Amino acid sequence: LSHKVVGNREALRRLERLVHPLAGQLQHEFLLQSEQEKAGQVILDIPLLFESGGQGRVDKTVVASAPSHVQKARVLERPGMSLEKFEAILAQQMPDAEKRKRADYIVETSGGLDDAFAQVKTIVAELEPLVGEMWAKRKAR
């Protein structure tokens, strides 16, 4: 699909109008199931969270971030990726510096997967004492 929508704003919007309601429904079902199962923390991976104004639907935000040269090198290693495609995708996103300002937590991914995982574990542990309070606020909404 990417060759059809990258750089074609209208095609991308049509695709989003199809996919976003389905993703939203799946997210809603996941959250209901998590609540029924009395899950502690629930983590959602939401691309373009800030760009779509979705941060108001979550309790805390975490941004995974790497220096631009690291991000570029990683993305260009993906099959079918080109510099032009990468730049078109990047143009749709909020600048990394702005996402960092808005985030409650930042996971620095330039140190590799093990380091990023350790940072996530630290965040999860830090939030654990707040779980009850966050669920109560969510129910009150």
Side-chain angles (χ1 to χ4, degrees):
L1 284 176
S2 68
H3 72 280
K4 298 275 189 191
V5 299
V6 171
N8 183 338
R9 185 173 294 275
E10 182 52 36
L12 179 60
R13 298 299 174 242
R14 283 195 312 265
L15 179 61
E16 289 172 341
R17 284 191 300 270
L18 294 171
V19 173
H20 288 182
L22 297 171
Q25 180 61 35
L26 289 172
Q27 184 183 104
H28 178 72
E29 291 170 8
F30 173 71
L31 291 171
L32 285 176
Q33 179 182 354
S34 299
E35 185 175 9
Q36 290 169 351
E37 294 174 359
K38 306 226 184 292
Q41 297 180 46
V42 177
I43 298 173
L44 302 171
D45 181 1
I46 305 176
L48 305 176
L49 176 72
F50 295 119
E51 292 86 344
S52 66
Q55 66 273 15
R57 298 188 331 260
V58 298
D59 299 306
K60 300 290 180 183
T61 58
V62 179
V63 168
S65 179
S68 59
H69 70 279
V70 172
Q71 178 190 26
K72 181 178 177 181
R74 287 176 178 166
V75 171
L76 290 176
E77 288 177 3
R78 295 177 188 164
M81 184 57 68
S82 68
L83 182 58
E84 178 183 78
K85 187 174 170 181
F86 170 67
E87 288 173 350
I89 292 169
L90 207 55
Q92 297 293 316
Q93 297 179 3
M94 179 180 292
D96 187 64
E98 182 63 25
K99 285 189 255 188
R100 286 170 159 269
K101 285 181 198 173
R102 294 181 183 208
D104 295 303
Y105 298 92
I106 299 166
V107 174
E108 298 282 352
T109 64
S110 57
L113 195 54
D114 289 339
D115 182 54
F117 185 68
Q119 292 173 66
V120 170
K121 284 175 62 174
T122 299
I123 293 167
V124 168
E126 184 176 318
L127 291 174
E128 188 63 34
L130 305 174
V131 167
E133 177 185 324
M134 286 188 283
W135 275 111
K137 284 182 184 177
R138 181 153 300 281
K139 283 186 174 186
R141 288 184 198 164

